[in-house]
Amino acid sequence: MTTGHDTRLDSFNDTGLDPFNTKGGRPEDPDMTATDQRADEPVLDPAAREGAELPTERTVIFDVEELNVYYGDFRAVRDASLKVHKNEITAFIGPSGCGKTTLLRCFNRMNDLIETARVTGSLRYHGVDLYHPKVDSVEVRRQIGMVFQKPNPFPKSIWANVAYGPRVAGLAKKGPAMDDIVENSLRKAALWDEVKDRLDENALGLSGGQQQRLCIARAIATDPDVLLMDEPCSALDPIATTRIEELMHGLKDDYSIVIVTHNMQQAARVSDRTAFFSVEVNPESDTRTGILVEYDSTQKMFSNPADERTENYVTGRFG
Amino acid sequence: MNEAGSAELSIEALSGSPRRVRRERIISRAMFCTAFVSVVVSALIIYALFAEAWIFMRDVDWSATWGQIGWFPRRGIYDMPTLLVASLWTTAIAMVVAAPLGMGAAIYLSEYARPSHRAFFKPILEILAGIPSVVLGFFALLWLAPNVVAHIGGEGGRGSMLAAGIGVGILTIPLVASISEDAMAAVPKSLREASAGLGARRAVTTLRVVLPAAVSGLVASLIVAVSRALGETMVVFMAGGAADAAIKTYSPYDGSLTMPAAMASLASGTDQVVGEGLTFQSLFFVGLVLFMLTLGLNLIGDRFVARVREQY
Ligand SMILES: Nc1ncnc2c1ncn2[C@@H]1O[C@H](COP(=O)(O)OP(=O)(O)O)[C@@H](O)[C@H]1O
Ligand SMILES: [Mg+2]
């Protein structure tokens, strides 16, 4: 769906409208009006990206409204609202410390592991309030997988790493069924050919890029609905990064992906929608709160962003 | 310093201050000496042990060390199985107490406890570690015997290997707990997150990720605890139910002498070590056996640790 719509780009921007309601926002959304007002500004770099058509009928996976995340008294993220769509790659970009990781870790309730973390506002997953008292965070994490910034394979065999999730979830036991799951997951993660002859070797013997693809294989082995990726390439070299990016394009057909990256080129290359976060310094308390500045189709965010701060960031004037 | 970049450097410019170089050399020698002293002291101890034990082994009638009715050193009867069985029982009972309780405490502290609970429980373990073994000996004899041993088939009114073993077990709980907890705390948080991210509950994460990754430390904690239990003297001496001689028994409900308790009883009392010609040397012989056992245990432990360790 990211192919061959270059011609749409201009009309898309010139109309000053958002015909596909790419933000997925409600019409009364104040951010949206701001977008509309600024949409006739010159296109920054129309060649930055292939045109992308983002149909709105896509199912909304996550519906975030007015989400605040606190660590103790410190508010790390303020009033974030956005919608994540099915079979799309949604990128979170922004300077470090602006709460990208914090927000991402709300999506699978990973922040529950942090004593002081607290979430207010609404975060709906397929319409269900993820933070409803009846929701079990463990069940949530079976459906919403996560890949971490630093590759973190278990110090076990490659096979055992991939089999871990299905085994814990009771999907399969040791045997042909599990072997199939392991093989399929490794194939999807484009790692099978490299490791098929040494499945029982320790995963820590793999290169960094292979380890990260193993972590992706491990995450998809439980057959999740969504993959959350927190700067999955930040510890990798450019070649490994390219492989992971290619992989993500392939995974999009089966999964919805939310990826945090502070590499703007990466966001531009892989994502369908981009959310730009920034920090707001409170001069009184000298605390830095993360805010969602703008959320739109990636094509628009990088060619014709509505907010000046986004524009400064994506053009490298602010970092 | 040197403005002209092309000027040649003299060797002095790079040889450093002579005073500092000399001081460095002196410090390094002093450090070597301290290390050397401890090596020498250890060597002397081992030498003394071997020397006296050698006299015993050379002169003893070996039939007196095996298959006798018990351990009566002042009468020339040195039945080693008596001591070995007693040591085995007390150590085994101690580990049955200390391994689950110590590891349980470690798992709780490292994986489950909220910071406030941790701050409460950790000092308690440290207090337990600080209890003198004499106190625990009393406790084992006066409280454990009537209140615990008496309820699990033993007699409450006197000491026994069971009472002593439980006492030694309590003594080694903090040891097991603290070494195990260190081992678990050394497992990277990222592995726990990986596991949680895959939908594993805390118990599963602990069992399948944390414990396997920490196994070297866990084994180490058990080996240290076994060594400690084997060598523990005071608790067994007081609560073991035997004074300076013991009849051979295989029942933990009976009183007996472990190796260190036998040594302590030989070296205590007003008459010190008197009796048969080799009584004094038997003390060293028992010490040597104990030393070899502990050494062998540590070697096996190292092997095991190297083999099963999950690297991270
Ligand atoms: N566990 C934590 N406890 C307290 N503060 C935290 C914790 N994790 C992150 N923070 C703070 O929250 C803010 C956002 O962090 P993070 O979400 O990691 O930002 P990003 O991923 O965008 O770099 C930062 O100011 C950071 O210091
Ligand atoms: Mg981050």
Side-chain angles (χ1 to χ4, degrees):
Chain A
M1 55 150 282
T2 49
T3 49
H5 290 285
D6 274 340
T7 47
R8 296 204 62 95
L9 191 66
D10 288 340
S11 60
F12 200 97
N13 290 320
D14 286 344
T15 54
L17 288 169
D18 190 357
F20 296 102
N21 187 15
T22 45
K23 280 157 49 72
R26 294 152 295 163
E28 67 272 21
D29 191 335
D31 283 350
M32 195 167 174
T33 352
T35 311
D36 295 343
Q37 281 162 1
R38 295 181 50 98
D40 54 354
E41 290 219 343
V43 172
L44 281 174
D45 184 6
R49 205 186 122 77
E50 303 169 55
E53 169 187 346
L54 298 173
T56 45
E57 65 271 20
R58 281 188 193 286
T59 319
V60 172
I61 300 248
F62 289 112
D63 187 355
V64 183
E65 273 179 65
E66 306 282 311
L67 202 77
N68 291 276
V69 191
Y70 300 82
Y71 292 112
D73 293 332
F74 166 64
R75 173 144 71 168
V77 176
R78 198 192 72 198
D79 295 336
S81 299
L82 59 89
K83 284 186 169 70
V84 173
H85 297 256
K86 193 172 170 59
N87 297 115
E88 283 187 6
I89 299 180
T90 306
F92 290 179
I93 61 169
S96 83
C98 64
K100 306 180 297 291
T101 298
T102 300
L103 182 61
L104 189 78
R105 288 167 63 101
C106 292
F107 287 12
N108 66 344
R109 301 235 339 223
M110 211 61 179
N111 283 336
D112 290 17
L113 299 183
I114 298 169
E115 258 3 280
T116 55
R118 195 162 46 86
V119 176
T120 68
S122 140
L123 170 45
R124 294 185 171 277
Y125 170 63
H126 290 293
V128 177
D129 178 8
L130 271 189
Y131 282 85
H132 189 280
K134 274 190 170 169
V135 170
D136 179 11
S137 61
V138 169
E139 206 48 55
V140 170
R141 292 184 203 130
R142 284 190 185 157
Q143 302 198 22
I144 304 170
M146 188 158 211
V147 176
F148 298 82
Q149 188 163 356
K150 212 174 127 248
N152 56 354
F154 300 123
K156 301 177 185 292
S157 72
I158 293 167
W159 189 93
N161 263 277
V162 184
Y164 186 88
R167 194 148 163 209
V168 162
L171 298 180
K173 288 214 182 326
K174 263 194 174 116
M178 185 65 95
D179 289 340
D180 284 350
I181 293 180
V182 170
E183 178 174 343
N184 286 335
S185 309
L186 286 168
R187 278 190 194 282
K188 278 190 192 166
L191 190 61
W192 174 251
D193 291 331
E194 287 157 66
V195 302
K196 62 170 184 273
D197 298 322
R198 45 174 178 146
L199 290 176
D200 48 9
E201 281 176 30
N202 195 307
L204 296 184
L206 298 173
S207 73
Q210 288 174 324
Q211 286 188 11
Q212 195 62 302
R213 273 179 285 147
L214 178 65
C215 291
I216 293 172
R218 181 175 68 179
I220 57 192
T222 50
D223 195 25
D225 179 39
V226 187
L227 271 183
L228 307 176
M229 300 180 149
D230 189 359
E231 302 196 29
C233 303
S234 67
L236 306 183
D237 62 64
I239 293 171
T241 300
T242 309
R243 296 217 55 176
I244 303 244
E245 286 179 7
E246 286 165 4
L247 171 59
M248 288 173 64
H249 271 300
L251 290 175
K252 201 164 80 161
D253 299 334
D254 298 323
Y255 307 96
S256 314
I257 298 176
V258 185
I259 177 175
V260 169
T261 171
H262 62 216
N263 176 338
M264 283 177 292
Q265 285 73 33
Q266 182 168 67
R269 280 192 300 263
V270 303
S271 73
D272 301 298
R273 288 176 215 258
T274 299
F276 170 60
F277 294 82
S278 186
V279 279
E280 193 183 60
V281 181
N282 182 339
E284 280 163 37
S285 57
D286 197 35
T287 53
R288 300 157 67 85
T289 298
I291 48 165
L292 171 59
V293 174
E294 188 175 354
Y295 179 49
D296 211 324
S297 77
T298 298
Q299 160 215 22
K300 180 139 188 329
M301 290 289 282
F302 281 88
S303 58
N304 186 18
D307 196 290
E308 200 180 350
R309 289 167 293 179
T310 313
E311 186 180 318
N312 287 342
Y313 188 77
V314 300
T315 54
R317 259 176 269 159
F318 165 69
Chain B
M1 205 176 74
N2 199 338
E3 303 267 318
S6 63
E8 281 210 14
L9 218 53
S10 67
I11 191 78
E12 282 75 26
L14 290 177
S15 41
S17 144
R19 265 190 56 214
R20 290 187 185 199
V21 170
R22 211 176 320 124
R23 198 169 65 188
E24 180 70 26
R25 208 172 287 152
I26 291 170
I27 290 174
S28 118
R29 279 200 196 131
M31 292 303 139
F32 174 77
C33 287
T34 54
F36 191 68
V37 165
S38 53
V39 170
V40 167
V41 169
S42 311
L44 283 177
I45 293 172
I46 293 172
Y47 172 77
L49 196 63
F50 270 93
E52 297 291 339
W54 170 246
I55 297 174
F56 178 85
M57 292 190 277
R58 192 190 55 198
D59 297 344
V60 77
D61 171 10
W62 283 93
S63 68
T65 66
W66 207 266
Q68 300 290 328
I69 57 157
W71 176 260
F72 297 95
R74 283 162 218 253
R75 288 197 262 143
I77 301 171
Y78 312 104
D79 186 57
M80 285 306 289
T82 306
L83 304 188
L84 289 171
V85 167
S87 278
L88 217 72
W89 263 125
T90 40
T91 303
I93 293 165
M95 294 325 288
V96 165
V97 172
L101 289 178
M103 294 219 179
I107 290 172
Y108 171 73
L109 284 174
S110 144
E111 306 301 311
Y112 286 89
R114 280 198 267 131
S116 56
H117 291 186
R118 217 184 118 82
F120 174 74
F121 280 109
K122 203 126 196 219
I124 290 184
L125 268 183
E126 271 149 30
I127 290 170
L128 194 59
I131 295 178
S133 54
V134 152
V135 175
L136 249 158
F138 263 116
F139 173 74
L141 186 62
L142 299 181
W143 195 87
L144 286 178
N147 292 307
V148 177
V149 175
H151 293 289
I152 49 178
E155 271 179 56
R158 59 173 175 84
S160 62
M161 285 185 270
L162 188 55
I166 298 173
V168 175
I170 293 172
L171 201 69
T172 46
I173 288 173
L175 204 63
V176 175
S178 77
I179 301 178
S180 302
E181 198 216 340
D182 285 349
M184 284 187 243
V187 175
K189 211 176 105 209
S190 63
L191 294 184
R192 293 183 180 85
E193 289 194 331
S195 177
L198 291 163
R201 287 177 201 283
R202 207 168 280 209
V204 175
T205 300
T206 304
L207 207 66
R208 290 188 192 258
V209 175
V210 179
L211 292 183
V215 76
S216 61
L218 302 180
V219 171
S221 85
L222 292 182
I223 286 173
V224 171
V226 168
S227 288
R228 176 84 174 79
L230 268 179
E232 170 53 34
T233 310
M234 212 51 194
V235 174
V236 192
F237 188 39
M238 295 172 74
D244 54 359
I247 296 173
K248 178 147 105 189
T249 174
Y250 292 101
S251 164
Y253 295 118
D254 292 334
S256 190
L257 281 172
T258 64
M259 287 182 280
M263 292 171 71
S265 70
L266 272 177
S268 69
T270 46
D271 54 351
Q272 294 298 321
V273 183
V274 289
E276 266 282 305
L278 286 171
T279 307
F280 177 72
Q281 281 76 21
S282 74
L283 191 156
F284 286 87
F285 177 67
V286 174
L288 183 65
V289 172
L290 187 59
F291 173 68
M292 299 305 249
L293 269 178
T294 322
L295 188 69
L297 205 66
N298 286 335
L299 292 179
I300 294 170
D302 284 352
R303 279 261 172 91
F304 179 73
V305 165
R307 191 149 45 87
V308 297
R309 177 171 193 174
E310 281 189 355
Q311 301 280 343
Y312 49 82

